[in-house]
Amino acid sequence: MARERQARRREGHEIEFGRIVAFSDGVFSVAITLLVLKLGISDQLTHGEVANALWEQREKLLAYTISFAVIGRFWVVHHSFFAEVKAFDGRLMSLNLFSLGWVVLIPFSSEVLGEYASSTAAVVLYAVNLAGVVLIGQWMSWDARQAGLTTIDAETQWENMAHALFIAAVFLLSVGVAFVDPHIAPYVWLLLFVEGRSHLVERLSRRRSS
Amino acid sequence: MARERQARRREGHEIEFGRIVAFSDGVFSVAITLLVLKLGISDQLTHGEVANALWEQREKLLAYTISFAVIGRFWVVHHSFFAEVKAFDGRLMSLNLFSLGWVVLIPFSSEVLGEYASSTAAVVLYAVNLAGVVLIGQWMSWDARQAGLTTIDAETQWENMAHALFIAAVFLLSVGVAFVDPHIAPYVWLLLFVEGRSHLVERLSRRRSS
Amino acid sequence: MARERQARRREGHEIEFGRIVAFSDGVFSVAITLLVLKLGISDQLTHGEVANALWEQREKLLAYTISFAVIGRFWVVHHSFFAEVKAFDGRLMSLNLFSLGWVVLIPFSSEVLGEYASSTAAVVLYAVNLAGVVLIGQWMSWDARQAGLTTIDAETQWENMAHALFIAAVFLLSVGVAFVDPHIAPYVWLLLFVEGRSHLVERLSRRRSS
Amino acid sequence: MARERQARRREGHEIEFGRIVAFSDGVFSVAITLLVLKLGISDQLTHGEVANALWEQREKLLAYTISFAVIGRFWVVHHSFFAEVKAFDGRLMSLNLFSLGWVVLIPFSSEVLGEYASSTAAVVLYAVNLAGVVLIGQWMSWDARQAGLTTIDAETQWENMAHALFIAAVFLLSVGVAFVDPHIAPYVWLLLFVEGRSHLVERLSRRRSS
């Protein structure tokens, strides 16, 4: 877009900048806490059946654990990104909202995956949802840098983008695999751990720390 | 009302002013996240039925998307307005609460619309709800300016009011149309995009940016 | 209690003080937004039945409106009180939590009242809940002043207490009336409006404003 | 782990530090408020049955009260801990998230305990959940001190750890007892009150207060 973008500096608009992250933190914290609503057992059981009913929640508990970690991870990435943001405009706020709209879907995708872990549709939904969050986040990051809103240097930006594309590619690969055999698809996600991106965040924070 | 209004300045009461926007942000973020609770599929399906069950959620997903965008948009407007607020009093807090009370109804209106998109009652409920948010927001904005709580200049105030009345008029027009044919009513809302108000926000932020 | 109380000043512990009000704001905003979850219509209706189903929600919508106003009012009082708090200790945090515990019950009491408006038990539950919030809030306020945590002067403190006791007395009176005839009890609450306490908040803010 | 840790100071990164506690406060406040969703009565009752239905909620109301106090207590401990945190890194954020993941489970454990108070499985679930929160909190505290992120002195750290281990031991003891007789297990928890740890928090705040 050719329109001239009018940004406000973080300094001098602390409360306005603070509201963007506060609203985002609110959305993240509600979304991550709503995950627990998917857990629950019938209230019609005898005492002897309770242990069994809890045991049958183990897949849902696994889905809870993974999705809590995933949303928590996205929050950390969001936190890292906004630590670099020095000015904001309406476009950044819109992209941030767009990104949050995908984060809020995770409790739903996670619930479906927790119920139907070996269904192609459930795996595809979950993978597309997570890939969407990663790609939109990268879009927001790229756009903000182009507009001069962040202080991220070119090298770090490229590294971040390479990582985001890798992650999205893994998820999209798992979508392809899910159409062949949904049982195998989750194993594709293990590629995410093989690669490891934590050193990047470290490097970024090293450069920024005083 | 003739009563003398006692306002506190934003400076010197940062925490108190901050609480008003923090509480508002909390309400917006919970309301926008609760939208996802309306999505969900039965847990009694075979694996083959999952894709179909998800497909049948498409109307609800559309309602989710629209309502997320709508609440997000209202949040941006709220953010823009309070960026201009330099002092606050009990009346501003009351009008803000009144406005939030209508925002919180959106997940309910949205759910009804998602279920019964071609019902007159559902369209009317949704349109009245959104028109209410817009009009009360304008009332709050007007009242705050009269009391000297904001720094919005007269021209911008008039432009904002003209836009708010236009938006409310579109929604109320759609209510009339819905009584004739509820299928057509949502198309009336397209008028909102034709008009476009983003340039206004731009202009406002240009004037304020340092 | 004879124990020596160790308070921290608001200045120098802004983040810690801020967390107390931020946590409180979070609880208030979630509680007030959860009220909307009580609204909802069946998803098994024909289009012709939607208007009727919405109309049958009118008692719940009234309960929503009243409880939104009530929680909003309690938030305003909480906001006014903490604007006077200059230091905090563990006891203030405990009393604040105790008070929030009663606020969070309001969505439940409100739901019961919305369903069974003319049942003695529902009226008693609601009245006791609201009286509890008011009395605990007054306890917190009194205790904080005794410990030198607030800057409220003696006269204002006494006026506040008189008002709180009046409000609590009205609710407890309505409990008594509810045992005779639950249909009349809500009318007792009209006494609250007769008395009117808004001028007090005004006076308080007048004294504090710069 | 041998990796060099790159921490950012609280000063100069106020917004970033603030987001960590704001996100935590959001999670705590949503989790504590969700407890009320477990309360509720049928909407098919006659007016005469309402009192009875409310009376039958007494076990759930007790579970609500206890869990509200428990989560509130954990929030106070979290608040005390972060008041001592002077710098943060990715590891502290991860441990904080891990700790929050256990806090968010409390509404679920609490609901199960409220339904099946005399079931071994329910008691074990609740005790393990609370012991987990305490132990992970202590791990976070210990790790942060080793990395020089907090200003807690060695003596206080040891005292805190001794208390945390005591609390965890009580919960784990109650797990053992629950396998013998679940009715007795909750009485084991009374040991927590016998010991009393409030003086510690006092001492800590005394040392820190100006």
Side-chain angles (χ1 to χ4, degrees), chain A residues 3 6-7 15-16 19 23 93 97 101 104 108 115-116 118, chain B residues 10 25 36 42-45 47 64 68 78-79 83 202 206:
Chain A
R3 69 183 168 101
Q6 304 291 341
I15 288 187
E16 284 68 43
R19 283 194 72 178
F23 176 76
M93 288 167 73
L97 272 170
V104 172
F108 168 62
E115 288 283 355
Y116 304 104
S118 44
Chain B
R10 184 165 166 167
D25 288 345
V36 78
S42 161
D43 57 356
Q44 308 287 337
L45 306 172
H47 281 163
Y64 166 82
F68 196 99
H78 191 274
H79 183 276
E202 293 282 330
R206 183 160 56 243

PDB file of all heavy atoms in Angstrom, chain A residues 3 6-7 15-16 19 23 93 97 101 104 108 115-116 118, chain B residues 10 25 36 42-45 47 64 68 78-79 83 202 206:
ATOM      1  N   ARG A   3      -0.120   4.272   0.926  1.00  0.00           N
ATOM      2  CA  ARG A   3      -0.499   5.330   1.864  1.00  0.00           C
ATOM      3  C   ARG A   3       0.639   5.605   2.860  1.00  0.00           C
ATOM      4  O   ARG A   3       1.366   4.720   3.269  1.00  0.00           O
ATOM      5  CB  ARG A   3      -1.772   4.951   2.610  1.00  0.00           C
ATOM      6  CG  ARG A   3      -1.613   3.807   3.586  1.00  0.00           C
ATOM      7  CD  ARG A   3      -2.952   3.459   4.239  1.00  0.00           C
ATOM      8  NE  ARG A   3      -2.860   2.206   4.959  1.00  0.00           N
ATOM      9  CZ  ARG A   3      -2.717   2.113   6.268  1.00  0.00           C
ATOM     10  NH1 ARG A   3      -2.617   3.181   7.009  1.00  0.00           N
ATOM     11  NH2 ARG A   3      -2.662   0.934   6.860  1.00  0.00           N
ATOM     12  N   GLN A   6       1.201   6.883   9.607  1.00  0.00           N
ATOM     13  CA  GLN A   6       1.404   7.846  10.679  1.00  0.00           C
ATOM     14  C   GLN A   6       1.575   7.102  11.984  1.00  0.00           C
ATOM     15  O   GLN A   6       0.619   6.597  12.554  1.00  0.00           O
ATOM     16  CB  GLN A   6       0.205   8.785  10.769  1.00  0.00           C
ATOM     17  CG  GLN A   6      -0.101   9.509   9.474  1.00  0.00           C
ATOM     18  CD  GLN A   6       0.965  10.523   9.122  1.00  0.00           C
ATOM     19  OE1 GLN A   6       1.739  10.956   9.973  1.00  0.00           O
ATOM     20  NE2 GLN A   6       1.026  10.898   7.852  1.00  0.00           N
ATOM     21  N   ALA A   7       2.794   7.034  12.464  1.00  0.00           N
ATOM     22  CA  ALA A   7       3.058   6.267  13.678  1.00  0.00           C
ATOM     23  C   ALA A   7       3.205   7.183  14.880  1.00  0.00           C
ATOM     24  O   ALA A   7       3.588   8.335  14.753  1.00  0.00           O
ATOM     25  CB  ALA A   7       4.322   5.436  13.494  1.00  0.00           C
ATOM     26  N   ILE A  15       0.768   5.019  27.845  1.00  0.00           N
ATOM     27  CA  ILE A  15      -0.502   4.366  28.187  1.00  0.00           C
ATOM     28  C   ILE A  15      -1.123   3.751  26.947  1.00  0.00           C
ATOM     29  O   ILE A  15      -1.607   2.614  26.973  1.00  0.00           O
ATOM     30  CB  ILE A  15      -1.475   5.362  28.869  1.00  0.00           C
ATOM     31  CG1 ILE A  15      -0.973   5.659  30.296  1.00  0.00           C
ATOM     32  CG2 ILE A  15      -2.895   4.802  28.914  1.00  0.00           C
ATOM     33  CD1 ILE A  15      -1.932   6.479  31.125  1.00  0.00           C
ATOM     34  N   GLU A  16      -1.066   4.460  25.804  1.00  0.00           N
ATOM     35  CA  GLU A  16      -1.649   3.917  24.576  1.00  0.00           C
ATOM     36  C   GLU A  16      -0.880   2.673  24.122  1.00  0.00           C
ATOM     37  O   GLU A  16      -1.469   1.678  23.729  1.00  0.00           O
ATOM     38  CB  GLU A  16      -1.642   4.968  23.457  1.00  0.00           C
ATOM     39  CG  GLU A  16      -2.712   6.018  23.639  1.00  0.00           C
ATOM     40  CD  GLU A  16      -2.450   6.901  24.840  1.00  0.00           C
ATOM     41  OE1 GLU A  16      -1.289   7.313  25.035  1.00  0.00           O
ATOM     42  OE2 GLU A  16      -3.392   7.170  25.610  1.00  0.00           O
ATOM     43  N   ARG A  19      -1.707  -0.179  26.395  1.00  0.00           N
ATOM     44  CA  ARG A  19      -3.013  -0.808  26.186  1.00  0.00           C
ATOM     45  C   ARG A  19      -2.939  -1.892  25.125  1.00  0.00           C
ATOM     46  O   ARG A  19      -3.664  -2.888  25.207  1.00  0.00           O
ATOM     47  CB  ARG A  19      -4.042   0.234  25.730  1.00  0.00           C
ATOM     48  CG  ARG A  19      -4.544   1.107  26.848  1.00  0.00           C
ATOM     49  CD  ARG A  19      -5.776   1.856  26.418  1.00  0.00           C
ATOM     50  NE  ARG A  19      -6.922   0.957  26.315  1.00  0.00           N
ATOM     51  CZ  ARG A  19      -8.141   1.363  25.993  1.00  0.00           C
ATOM     52  NH1 ARG A  19      -8.358   2.638  25.728  1.00  0.00           N
ATOM     53  NH2 ARG A  19      -9.130   0.502  25.928  1.00  0.00           N
ATOM     54  N   PHE A  23      -4.118  -5.412  26.239  1.00  0.00           N
ATOM     55  CA  PHE A  23      -5.231  -6.101  25.591  1.00  0.00           C
ATOM     56  C   PHE A  23      -4.761  -7.467  25.066  1.00  0.00           C
ATOM     57  O   PHE A  23      -5.440  -8.485  25.254  1.00  0.00           O
ATOM     58  CB  PHE A  23      -5.769  -5.242  24.446  1.00  0.00           C
ATOM     59  CG  PHE A  23      -6.858  -5.885  23.643  1.00  0.00           C
ATOM     60  CD1 PHE A  23      -8.139  -5.970  24.147  1.00  0.00           C
ATOM     61  CD2 PHE A  23      -6.596  -6.411  22.392  1.00  0.00           C
ATOM     62  CE1 PHE A  23      -9.153  -6.566  23.405  1.00  0.00           C
ATOM     63  CE2 PHE A  23      -7.604  -7.011  21.651  1.00  0.00           C
ATOM     64  CZ  PHE A  23      -8.889  -7.091  22.153  1.00  0.00           C
ATOM     65  N   MET A  93      -1.780  -2.329  14.876  1.00  0.00           N
ATOM     66  CA  MET A  93      -2.861  -2.749  15.759  1.00  0.00           C
ATOM     67  C   MET A  93      -3.799  -3.730  15.046  1.00  0.00           C
ATOM     68  O   MET A  93      -4.270  -4.699  15.644  1.00  0.00           O
ATOM     69  CB  MET A  93      -3.633  -1.535  16.253  1.00  0.00           C
ATOM     70  CG  MET A  93      -2.837  -0.715  17.268  1.00  0.00           C
ATOM     71  SD  MET A  93      -3.573   0.915  17.592  1.00  0.00           S
ATOM     72  CE  MET A  93      -4.986   0.445  18.577  1.00  0.00           C
ATOM     73  N   LEU A  97      -4.428  -7.620  16.026  1.00  0.00           N
ATOM     74  CA  LEU A  97      -5.761  -8.181  16.257  1.00  0.00           C
ATOM     75  C   LEU A  97      -5.991  -9.420  15.385  1.00  0.00           C
ATOM     76  O   LEU A  97      -6.559 -10.413  15.839  1.00  0.00           O
ATOM     77  CB  LEU A  97      -6.834  -7.137  15.923  1.00  0.00           C
ATOM     78  CG  LEU A  97      -7.223  -6.198  17.050  1.00  0.00           C
ATOM     79  CD1 LEU A  97      -8.098  -5.090  16.522  1.00  0.00           C
ATOM     80  CD2 LEU A  97      -7.948  -6.964  18.151  1.00  0.00           C
ATOM     81  N   GLY A 101      -6.805 -13.144  16.683  1.00  0.00           N
ATOM     82  CA  GLY A 101      -7.972 -13.899  16.246  1.00  0.00           C
ATOM     83  C   GLY A 101      -7.649 -15.363  15.972  1.00  0.00           C
ATOM     84  O   GLY A 101      -8.490 -16.244  16.189  1.00  0.00           O
ATOM     85  N   VAL A 104      -6.903 -17.168  19.481  1.00  0.00           N
ATOM     86  CA  VAL A 104      -8.114 -17.490  20.237  1.00  0.00           C
ATOM     87  C   VAL A 104      -8.786 -18.761  19.712  1.00  0.00           C
ATOM     88  O   VAL A 104      -9.529 -19.428  20.428  1.00  0.00           O
ATOM     89  CB  VAL A 104      -9.089 -16.293  20.220  1.00  0.00           C
ATOM     90  CG1 VAL A 104     -10.428 -16.641  20.815  1.00  0.00           C
ATOM     91  CG2 VAL A 104      -8.490 -15.128  20.995  1.00  0.00           C
ATOM     92  N   PHE A 108     -10.293 -24.102  20.591  1.00  0.00           N
ATOM     93  CA  PHE A 108     -11.229 -24.909  19.808  1.00  0.00           C
ATOM     94  C   PHE A 108     -10.496 -26.020  19.047  1.00  0.00           C
ATOM     95  O   PHE A 108     -10.860 -27.201  19.147  1.00  0.00           O
ATOM     96  CB  PHE A 108     -11.996 -23.991  18.841  1.00  0.00           C
ATOM     97  CG  PHE A 108     -12.789 -24.711  17.786  1.00  0.00           C
ATOM     98  CD1 PHE A 108     -13.829 -25.567  18.132  1.00  0.00           C
ATOM     99  CD2 PHE A 108     -12.497 -24.541  16.440  1.00  0.00           C
ATOM    100  CE1 PHE A 108     -14.568 -26.230  17.156  1.00  0.00           C
ATOM    101  CE2 PHE A 108     -13.229 -25.202  15.458  1.00  0.00           C
ATOM    102  CZ  PHE A 108     -14.266 -26.051  15.819  1.00  0.00           C
ATOM    103  N   GLU A 115     -10.205 -34.700  21.225  1.00  0.00           N
ATOM    104  CA  GLU A 115     -11.270 -35.685  21.057  1.00  0.00           C
ATOM    105  C   GLU A 115     -10.947 -36.701  19.957  1.00  0.00           C
ATOM    106  O   GLU A 115     -11.244 -37.880  20.077  1.00  0.00           O
ATOM    107  CB  GLU A 115     -12.584 -34.972  20.678  1.00  0.00           C
ATOM    108  CG  GLU A 115     -13.234 -34.180  21.787  1.00  0.00           C
ATOM    109  CD  GLU A 115     -13.953 -35.080  22.772  1.00  0.00           C
ATOM    110  OE1 GLU A 115     -14.032 -36.294  22.540  1.00  0.00           O
ATOM    111  OE2 GLU A 115     -14.431 -34.540  23.794  1.00  0.00           O
ATOM    112  N   TYR A 116     -10.381 -36.192  18.847  1.00  0.00           N
ATOM    113  CA  TYR A 116     -10.226 -37.040  17.651  1.00  0.00           C
ATOM    114  C   TYR A 116      -8.792 -36.992  17.156  1.00  0.00           C
ATOM    115  O   TYR A 116      -8.510 -36.572  16.036  1.00  0.00           O
ATOM    116  CB  TYR A 116     -11.186 -36.566  16.560  1.00  0.00           C
ATOM    117  CG  TYR A 116     -12.620 -36.526  17.015  1.00  0.00           C
ATOM    118  CD1 TYR A 116     -13.255 -35.339  17.315  1.00  0.00           C
ATOM    119  CD2 TYR A 116     -13.335 -37.719  17.174  1.00  0.00           C
ATOM    120  CE1 TYR A 116     -14.562 -35.309  17.750  1.00  0.00           C
ATOM    121  CE2 TYR A 116     -14.645 -37.709  17.612  1.00  0.00           C
ATOM    122  CZ  TYR A 116     -15.257 -36.498  17.899  1.00  0.00           C
ATOM    123  OH  TYR A 116     -16.549 -36.492  18.343  1.00  0.00           O
ATOM    124  N   SER A 118      -6.747 -39.050  16.059  1.00  0.00           N
ATOM    125  CA  SER A 118      -6.314 -39.787  14.871  1.00  0.00           C
ATOM    126  C   SER A 118      -7.224 -39.508  13.674  1.00  0.00           C
ATOM    127  O   SER A 118      -7.305 -40.304  12.748  1.00  0.00           O
ATOM    128  CB  SER A 118      -6.244 -41.286  15.170  1.00  0.00           C
ATOM    129  OG  SER A 118      -7.376 -41.690  15.902  1.00  0.00           O
TER     130      SER A 118
ATOM    131  N   ARG B  10      -5.385  13.371  34.227  1.00  0.00           N
ATOM    132  CA  ARG B  10      -4.661  12.132  33.970  1.00  0.00           C
ATOM    133  C   ARG B  10      -3.295  12.152  34.660  1.00  0.00           C
ATOM    134  O   ARG B  10      -2.906  11.180  35.287  1.00  0.00           O
ATOM    135  CB  ARG B  10      -4.486  12.032  32.459  1.00  0.00           C
ATOM    136  CG  ARG B  10      -3.851  10.786  31.956  1.00  0.00           C
ATOM    137  CD  ARG B  10      -4.122  10.734  30.475  1.00  0.00           C
ATOM    138  NE  ARG B  10      -3.309   9.775  29.772  1.00  0.00           N
ATOM    139  CZ  ARG B  10      -3.559   9.392  28.519  1.00  0.00           C
ATOM    140  NH1 ARG B  10      -4.581   9.902  27.867  1.00  0.00           N
ATOM    141  NH2 ARG B  10      -2.797   8.511  27.923  1.00  0.00           N
ATOM    142  N   ASP B  25      -9.998  -2.803  28.922  1.00  0.00           N
ATOM    143  CA  ASP B  25      -9.260  -3.786  28.135  1.00  0.00           C
ATOM    144  C   ASP B  25      -9.587  -5.204  28.586  1.00  0.00           C
ATOM    145  O   ASP B  25      -9.706  -6.119  27.763  1.00  0.00           O
ATOM    146  CB  ASP B  25      -7.750  -3.546  28.264  1.00  0.00           C
ATOM    147  CG  ASP B  25      -7.304  -2.314  27.512  1.00  0.00           C
ATOM    148  OD1 ASP B  25      -8.075  -1.807  26.677  1.00  0.00           O
ATOM    149  OD2 ASP B  25      -6.176  -1.850  27.741  1.00  0.00           O
ATOM    150  N   VAL B  36     -14.985 -17.788  21.152  1.00  0.00           N
ATOM    151  CA  VAL B  36     -14.547 -19.123  20.733  1.00  0.00           C
ATOM    152  C   VAL B  36     -15.355 -20.219  21.428  1.00  0.00           C
ATOM    153  O   VAL B  36     -15.443 -21.343  20.929  1.00  0.00           O
ATOM    154  CB  VAL B  36     -13.031 -19.316  20.978  1.00  0.00           C
ATOM    155  CG1 VAL B  36     -12.737 -19.600  22.432  1.00  0.00           C
ATOM    156  CG2 VAL B  36     -12.485 -20.439  20.104  1.00  0.00           C
ATOM    157  N   SER B  42     -19.643 -32.147  18.556  1.00  0.00           N
ATOM    158  CA  SER B  42     -20.035 -33.253  19.423  1.00  0.00           C
ATOM    159  C   SER B  42     -18.833 -34.159  19.682  1.00  0.00           C
ATOM    160  O   SER B  42     -17.931 -34.274  18.859  1.00  0.00           O
ATOM    161  CB  SER B  42     -21.149 -34.049  18.739  1.00  0.00           C
ATOM    162  OG  SER B  42     -21.243 -35.329  19.316  1.00  0.00           O
ATOM    163  N   ASP B  43     -18.817 -34.797  20.866  1.00  0.00           N
ATOM    164  CA  ASP B  43     -17.727 -35.740  21.136  1.00  0.00           C
ATOM    165  C   ASP B  43     -18.175 -37.185  20.916  1.00  0.00           C
ATOM    166  O   ASP B  43     -17.576 -38.113  21.419  1.00  0.00           O
ATOM    167  CB  ASP B  43     -17.172 -35.537  22.555  1.00  0.00           C
ATOM    168  CG  ASP B  43     -18.243 -35.690  23.612  1.00  0.00           C
ATOM    169  OD1 ASP B  43     -19.406 -35.871  23.239  1.00  0.00           O
ATOM    170  OD2 ASP B  43     -17.917 -35.616  24.800  1.00  0.00           O
ATOM    171  N   GLN B  44     -19.231 -37.339  20.144  1.00  0.00           N
ATOM    172  CA  GLN B  44     -19.776 -38.683  19.889  1.00  0.00           C
ATOM    173  C   GLN B  44     -19.618 -39.090  18.425  1.00  0.00           C
ATOM    174  O   GLN B  44     -20.364 -39.932  17.936  1.00  0.00           O
ATOM    175  CB  GLN B  44     -21.272 -38.723  20.244  1.00  0.00           C
ATOM    176  CG  GLN B  44     -21.608 -38.208  21.623  1.00  0.00           C
ATOM    177  CD  GLN B  44     -21.182 -39.167  22.712  1.00  0.00           C
ATOM    178  OE1 GLN B  44     -21.037 -40.365  22.445  1.00  0.00           O
ATOM    179  NE2 GLN B  44     -20.961 -38.670  23.908  1.00  0.00           N
ATOM    180  N   LEU B  45     -18.676 -38.497  17.730  1.00  0.00           N
ATOM    181  CA  LEU B  45     -18.573 -38.741  16.296  1.00  0.00           C
ATOM    182  C   LEU B  45     -17.595 -39.865  15.989  1.00  0.00           C
ATOM    183  O   LEU B  45     -16.683 -40.161  16.768  1.00  0.00           O
ATOM    184  CB  LEU B  45     -18.104 -37.475  15.587  1.00  0.00           C
ATOM    185  CG  LEU B  45     -18.915 -36.199  15.842  1.00  0.00           C
ATOM    186  CD1 LEU B  45     -18.204 -35.004  15.231  1.00  0.00           C
ATOM    187  CD2 LEU B  45     -20.307 -36.325  15.280  1.00  0.00           C
ATOM    188  N   HIS B  47     -14.526 -41.046  13.373  1.00  0.00           N
ATOM    189  CA  HIS B  47     -13.474 -40.230  12.764  1.00  0.00           C
ATOM    190  C   HIS B  47     -13.887 -39.706  11.388  1.00  0.00           C
ATOM    191  O   HIS B  47     -13.515 -38.609  10.994  1.00  0.00           O
ATOM    192  CB  HIS B  47     -12.175 -41.029  12.675  1.00  0.00           C
ATOM    193  CG  HIS B  47     -11.463 -41.061  13.980  1.00  0.00           C
ATOM    194  ND1 HIS B  47     -10.472 -41.940  14.295  1.00  0.00           N
ATOM    195  CD2 HIS B  47     -11.633 -40.287  15.084  1.00  0.00           C
ATOM    196  CE1 HIS B  47     -10.058 -41.710  15.530  1.00  0.00           C
ATOM    197  NE2 HIS B  47     -10.739 -40.729  16.026  1.00  0.00           N
ATOM    198  N   TYR B  64     -18.021 -15.975  14.156  1.00  0.00           N
ATOM    199  CA  TYR B  64     -16.851 -15.737  15.010  1.00  0.00           C
ATOM    200  C   TYR B  64     -15.950 -14.687  14.386  1.00  0.00           C
ATOM    201  O   TYR B  64     -15.540 -13.718  15.035  1.00  0.00           O
ATOM    202  CB  TYR B  64     -16.082 -17.046  15.225  1.00  0.00           C
ATOM    203  CG  TYR B  64     -14.702 -16.859  15.802  1.00  0.00           C
ATOM    204  CD1 TYR B  64     -14.509 -16.698  17.168  1.00  0.00           C
ATOM    205  CD2 TYR B  64     -13.578 -16.833  14.976  1.00  0.00           C
ATOM    206  CE1 TYR B  64     -13.254 -16.513  17.698  1.00  0.00           C
ATOM    207  CE2 TYR B  64     -12.314 -16.647  15.501  1.00  0.00           C
ATOM    208  CZ  TYR B  64     -12.155 -16.489  16.860  1.00  0.00           C
ATOM    209  OH  TYR B  64     -10.905 -16.297  17.379  1.00  0.00           O
ATOM    210  N   PHE B  68     -15.351 -11.104  15.978  1.00  0.00           N
ATOM    211  CA  PHE B  68     -14.002 -10.808  16.460  1.00  0.00           C
ATOM    212  C   PHE B  68     -13.540  -9.486  15.862  1.00  0.00           C
ATOM    213  O   PHE B  68     -13.005  -8.615  16.557  1.00  0.00           O
ATOM    214  CB  PHE B  68     -13.040 -11.940  16.074  1.00  0.00           C
ATOM    215  CG  PHE B  68     -11.748 -11.907  16.844  1.00  0.00           C
ATOM    216  CD1 PHE B  68     -11.553 -12.732  17.933  1.00  0.00           C
ATOM    217  CD2 PHE B  68     -10.723 -11.042  16.491  1.00  0.00           C
ATOM    218  CE1 PHE B  68     -10.362 -12.708  18.662  1.00  0.00           C
ATOM    219  CE2 PHE B  68      -9.531 -10.999  17.211  1.00  0.00           C
ATOM    220  CZ  PHE B  68      -9.349 -11.834  18.294  1.00  0.00           C
ATOM    221  N   HIS B  78     -12.184   2.651  20.950  1.00  0.00           N
ATOM    222  CA  HIS B  78     -12.066   2.957  22.379  1.00  0.00           C
ATOM    223  C   HIS B  78     -10.655   3.425  22.699  1.00  0.00           C
ATOM    224  O   HIS B  78     -10.442   4.396  23.442  1.00  0.00           O
ATOM    225  CB  HIS B  78     -12.415   1.689  23.178  1.00  0.00           C
ATOM    226  CG  HIS B  78     -12.601   1.895  24.652  1.00  0.00           C
ATOM    227  ND1 HIS B  78     -11.563   1.872  25.538  1.00  0.00           N
ATOM    228  CD2 HIS B  78     -13.712   2.131  25.384  1.00  0.00           C
ATOM    229  CE1 HIS B  78     -12.040   2.074  26.770  1.00  0.00           C
ATOM    230  NE2 HIS B  78     -13.336   2.230  26.708  1.00  0.00           N
ATOM    231  N   HIS B  79      -9.687   2.751  22.119  1.00  0.00           N
ATOM    232  CA  HIS B  79      -8.271   3.091  22.303  1.00  0.00           C
ATOM    233  C   HIS B  79      -7.997   4.497  21.770  1.00  0.00           C
ATOM    234  O   HIS B  79      -7.350   5.317  22.437  1.00  0.00           O
ATOM    235  CB  HIS B  79      -7.429   2.043  21.572  1.00  0.00           C
ATOM    236  CG  HIS B  79      -5.949   2.211  21.718  1.00  0.00           C
ATOM    237  ND1 HIS B  79      -5.227   3.056  20.914  1.00  0.00           N
ATOM    238  CD2 HIS B  79      -5.071   1.650  22.556  1.00  0.00           C
ATOM    239  CE1 HIS B  79      -3.944   2.998  21.263  1.00  0.00           C
ATOM    240  NE2 HIS B  79      -3.827   2.149  22.258  1.00  0.00           N
ATOM    241  N   ALA B  83      -7.080   7.857  24.098  1.00  0.00           N
ATOM    242  CA  ALA B  83      -5.789   8.519  23.877  1.00  0.00           C
ATOM    243  C   ALA B  83      -5.950  10.035  23.923  1.00  0.00           C
ATOM    244  O   ALA B  83      -4.993  10.769  24.163  1.00  0.00           O
ATOM    245  CB  ALA B  83      -5.193   8.094  22.534  1.00  0.00           C
ATOM    246  N   GLU B 202      -6.645   7.968  10.751  1.00  0.00           N
ATOM    247  CA  GLU B 202      -5.329   8.378  10.270  1.00  0.00           C
ATOM    248  C   GLU B 202      -5.097   9.861  10.534  1.00  0.00           C
ATOM    249  O   GLU B 202      -4.083  10.272  11.081  1.00  0.00           O
ATOM    250  CB  GLU B 202      -5.219   8.154   8.753  1.00  0.00           C
ATOM    251  CG  GLU B 202      -5.244   6.708   8.336  1.00  0.00           C
ATOM    252  CD  GLU B 202      -3.914   6.028   8.576  1.00  0.00           C
ATOM    253  OE1 GLU B 202      -2.886   6.707   8.506  1.00  0.00           O
ATOM    254  OE2 GLU B 202      -3.919   4.816   8.827  1.00  0.00           O
ATOM    255  N   ARG B 206      -2.363  11.577  12.841  1.00  0.00           N
ATOM    256  CA  ARG B 206      -1.347  12.443  12.243  1.00  0.00           C
ATOM    257  C   ARG B 206      -1.206  13.722  13.066  1.00  0.00           C
ATOM    258  O   ARG B 206      -0.110  14.171  13.359  1.00  0.00           O
ATOM    259  CB  ARG B 206      -1.752  12.785  10.808  1.00  0.00           C
ATOM    260  CG  ARG B 206      -0.718  13.634  10.093  1.00  0.00           C
ATOM    261  CD  ARG B 206      -0.876  13.560   8.583  1.00  0.00           C
ATOM    262  NE  ARG B 206      -2.220  13.942   8.162  1.00  0.00           N
ATOM    263  CZ  ARG B 206      -3.073  13.124   7.540  1.00  0.00           C
ATOM    264  NH1 ARG B 206      -2.743  11.890   7.275  1.00  0.00           N
ATOM    265  NH2 ARG B 206      -4.266  13.548   7.185  1.00  0.00           N
TER     266      ARG B 206
END
